[in-house]
Amino acid sequence: QVQPVESGGGSVQAGGSLRLSCAASGYTTRWNCMGWFRQAPGQEREGVASIDTLRSPSYADSVKGRFTISKDNDKNTLHLQMDSLDPEDTAMYYCVASHYSQCPPMAHRAWLSMDWGQGTQVTVSS
């Protein structure tokens, strides 16, 4: 089964930037709806940002104005530019993908049945 594969995580100081990427592990038809979720130790998983074929991005309030999601339909890849990082952004970040033409709201349980990557760790120090 083709899965998303994340890259680009790492450790940065507060105020710094990181760019996460996500690509398919093999050949698959276009993932129309893609998103990023994150989970910090001891906390619930939360949706960070999503984007679909209409290029309509959606962001969690906590990252609006700091994170930018983008999608390359030709390469079937997803990116998350993270600026002005804060220690509260420290978490495992997961790429999620599906062939849905439009993304559901990030709190919708439909995301649970989509294709999930293994995650990439982002650590922000103060």
Side-chain angles (χ1 to χ4, degrees), residues 8-98:
S11 298
V12 294
Q13 291 193 329
S17 299
L18 280 174
R19 180 177 172 85
L20 304 184
S21 296
C22 173
S25 61
Y27 174 78
T28 182
T29 54
R30 178 186 297 175
W31 282 321
N32 297 316
C33 165
M34 300 183 76
W36 292 97
F37 282 71
R38 68 185 181 186
Q39 187 167 22
Q43 297 188 20
E44 291 188 358
R45 185 165 42 195
E46 65 169 337
V48 175
S50 66
I51 189 168
D52 53 33
T53 51
L54 298 178
R55 305 286 179 93
S56 302
S58 177
Y59 297 96
D61 288 342
S62 60
V63 306
K64 281 181 181 177
R66 301 188 298 122
F67 290 11
T68 303
I69 191 170
S70 60
K71 187 173 177 291
D72 187 328
N73 288 328
D74 291 337
K75 297 181 179 179
N76 211 21
T77 56
L78 182 72
H79 304 281
L80 185 68
Q81 178 66 39
M82 305 186 295
D83 298 318
S84 301
L85 282 162
D86 184 273
E88 292 192 354
D89 296 316
T90 295
M92 184 71 78
Y93 283 70
Y94 298 92
C95 175
V96 188
S98 83

Side-chain angles (χ1 to χ4, degrees), residues 95-106:
C95 175
V96 188
S98 83
H99 299 291
Y100 292 2
S101 59
Q102 286 186 268
C103 290
M106 298 214 77

